[in-house]
Amino acid sequence: MGVNVVLSGYAVVALVPLLIMVWNSFRTDQELVAEPLGLPVSPSFDAYREAWVEASFSTYFLNSVLVTTASVALSTAVSLLAAYALARSRSRLMGVIEQVFVSGLMMPVFLMIVPIFYLLDTIGLASTRTGLILVYSAVSIPFSVFVLATFLRQLPDELEDAARIDGAGPLRTFWSVLLPLVRPAVATVVVFRFVPIWNDFFYPLILVRDRDLYTLPVGLTTFFGEYQTSWSTLFAGLVIATLPLVLLFLVATRQIVAGLTAGMGR
């Protein structure tokens, strides 16, 4: 009972800032200045129209969707194949390779940015979506491989033996037998990589110089002027940026819980 009360209280505390953000997006700047925490007197969608059209938020939103989706898809596909090989191999070499993957989790992001920038600039991928996608995919692979390899090791070898007897090769076995069983782990990896990439401010700020290629976190900084800031437009932009994450968690909650709790009863 006490745990439920604490969790319910935490949920309320976490929801209050989101609710303030949402209802402030329907207010005017004059109302926000006069009463920052007040309710909308006459709700209006003008702030959303201004953010989406006049402030080029539609461009930033599209950039974030393209970069985040492509990065998560690429890193997950590569990590699945790598995790399958690492989980099913018994050689010492594969063990060393897995340690190399895991060591990527300990690499500070800020120490990598200078060589990454010079590398992308040398190969002509600086300030491009492709360069940003490759960077995000690379930094996502260590975590994804770690989670997926751990999950794949819990699957019995008899499944592959049965598929092999039926004439299935390694790729067919992986695609038709193992992949459906690791969907909770894949969903967990997708969500846990989608959120930080979607919210990331550091890499786009350093690696992207063209304003038309800004992602949402960097694009939001354009709402702040030197002498004036449209707060209602800013709140509308924050709502637009947050909505995809809320929808993602609502859709994938069951798979995330299954992936995080897999093996606890064994």
Side-chain angles (χ1 to χ4, degrees), residues 86 89-104 153:
L86 294 172
S89 176
R90 300 293 185 268
S91 68
R92 292 185 177 180
L93 177 60
M94 284 298 184
V96 173
I97 294 175
E98 184 173 5
Q99 294 302 317
V100 172
F101 276 113
V102 175
S103 65
R153 286 195 179 95

Side-chain angles (χ1 to χ4, degrees), residues 187-205:
T188 302
V189 166
V190 167
V191 173
F192 274 71
R193 294 317 308 162
F194 188 98
V195 174
I197 294 176
W198 182 270
N199 292 329
D200 183 57
F201 177 79
F202 182 68
Y203 279 121
L205 178 67

Side-chain angles (χ1 to χ4, degrees), residues 198-255:
W198 182 270
N199 292 329
D200 183 57
F201 177 79
F202 182 68
Y203 279 121
L205 178 67
I206 303 298
L207 301 178
V208 176
R209 297 187 289 266
D210 188 351
R211 182 168 178 171
D212 291 335
L213 298 177
Y214 282 173
T215 55
L216 285 175
V218 181
L220 282 170
T221 62
T222 61
F223 288 105
F224 293 93
E226 184 176 357
Y227 302 104
Q228 184 178 6
T229 298
S230 177
W231 293 105
S232 60
T233 306
L234 176 62
F235 280 118
L238 290 172
V239 172
I240 296 173
T242 306
L243 187 59
L245 300 181
V246 174
L247 294 176
L248 178 65
F249 273 102
L250 290 177
V251 171
T253 296
R254 181 176 298 179
Q255 296 293 333

Side-chain angles (χ1 to χ4, degrees), residues 20-33:
I20 294 176
M21 177 182 69
V22 171
W23 71 56
N24 279 343
S25 67
F26 295 104
R27 305 173 70 198
T28 63
D29 288 336
Q30 291 76 16
E31 293 177 353
L32 287 170
V33 173

Side-chain angles (χ1 to χ4, degrees), residues 118-193:
Y118 280 112
L119 175 62
L120 293 180
D121 192 50
T122 301
I123 62 179
L125 291 179
S127 193
T128 64
R129 293 193 192 96
T130 302
L132 205 54
I133 290 170
L134 292 176
V135 171
Y136 280 136
S137 300
V139 299
S140 299
I141 287 176
F143 171 81
S144 302
V145 168
F146 174 74
V147 173
L148 294 171
T150 302
F151 198 94
L152 282 167
R153 286 195 179 95
Q154 298 177 6
L155 301 180
D157 295 336
E158 288 76 10
L159 294 173
E160 294 177 77
D161 294 338
R164 193 177 299 111
I165 293 173
D166 291 336
L171 289 179
R172 180 62 182 275
T173 301
F174 172 75
W175 182 262
S176 301
V177 179
L178 298 182
L179 188 57
L181 298 175
V182 298
R183 280 184 301 178
V186 173
T188 302
V189 166
V190 167
V191 173
F192 274 71
R193 294 317 308 162

Side-chain angles (χ1 to χ4, degrees), residues 63-77 129-130 132-134 136-137 194 197:
N63 290 335
S64 284
V65 170
L66 292 175
V67 170
T68 305
T69 304
S71 301
V72 172
L74 179 59
S75 64
T76 303
R129 293 193 192 96
T130 302
L132 205 54
I133 290 170
L134 292 176
Y136 280 136
S137 300
F194 188 98
I197 294 176

